[in-house]
Amino acid sequence: MDMKKYLAALQAKETTQQANFGKDADTVLGMLCSTYYELNCNQDTDEVKQAFDELYQSMTGKTLKEKDEVIYATCRLCNLHQQTGFVDGLRLGLKLSQELNT
C-alpha cells in the first residue's frame, strides 16, 4: 500500500469521525498516559500513602462532604500533574530522537 494514500485516508477519516479514546481521555496522548498509569502505577507507594494520611489528618473536624471536596480536588491536581509530566516526557523523548537522527 502506498503510504501517502494511507495517511490521506487516515486524515480523511479523522476529520469525519469522532475518535473514541476511552472514558479517561480525549486525546491520543491522554489515552497513552491513562493506560500507562493504569498498567504501571496502580499501587500507591508508602510515601504516597503517608501523604494522604497527613492530608486526612489535616482535615480533622471537617464534614465528610468537605473532606471529599478536598480529596477530589487534590486527586484531580495530581492526575493533571502526572499527565503533564508524561506528555512532556514523550515530547522530550521525540525531540531527542529527532536530534540523534539528524
Side-chain angles (χ1 to χ4, degrees):
M1 172 181 273
D2 179 22
M3 187 55 78
K4 288 182 182 180
K5 287 181 182 178
Y6 178 68
L7 289 174
L10 282 176
Q11 289 172 338
K13 185 174 184 177
E14 190 271 331
T15 59
T16 60
Q17 295 182 358
Q18 180 67 29
N20 180 3
F21 300 108
K23 64 181 174 66
D24 295 328
D26 56 1
T27 65
V28 173
L29 285 175
M31 180 185 64
L32 289 171
C33 181
S34 175
T35 303
Y36 174 82
Y37 282 105
E38 183 179 305
L39 295 175
N40 295 295
C41 303
N42 269 342
Q43 299 297 322
D44 288 335
T45 64
D46 289 339
E47 187 177 22
V48 170
K49 290 176 186 176
Q50 176 67 31
F52 269 105
D53 286 344
E54 291 170 10
L55 178 61
Y56 279 113
Q57 289 173 9
S58 73
M59 294 188 294
T60 300
K62 294 191 180 293
T63 67
L64 181 59
K65 184 178 184 228
E66 291 170 330
K67 289 179 183 180
D68 283 347
E69 288 172 355
V70 171
I71 293 298
Y72 293 147
T74 301
C75 289
R76 178 164 159 57
L77 178 61
C78 290
N79 285 334
L80 289 171
H81 185 70
Q82 284 179 336
Q83 288 175 346
T84 300
F86 182 86
V87 170
D88 287 349
L90 281 177
R91 287 183 176 145
L92 185 60
L94 288 171
K95 184 170 179 60
L96 176 61
S97 176
Q98 290 170 346
E99 288 178 7
L100 291 173
N101 290 323
T102 56

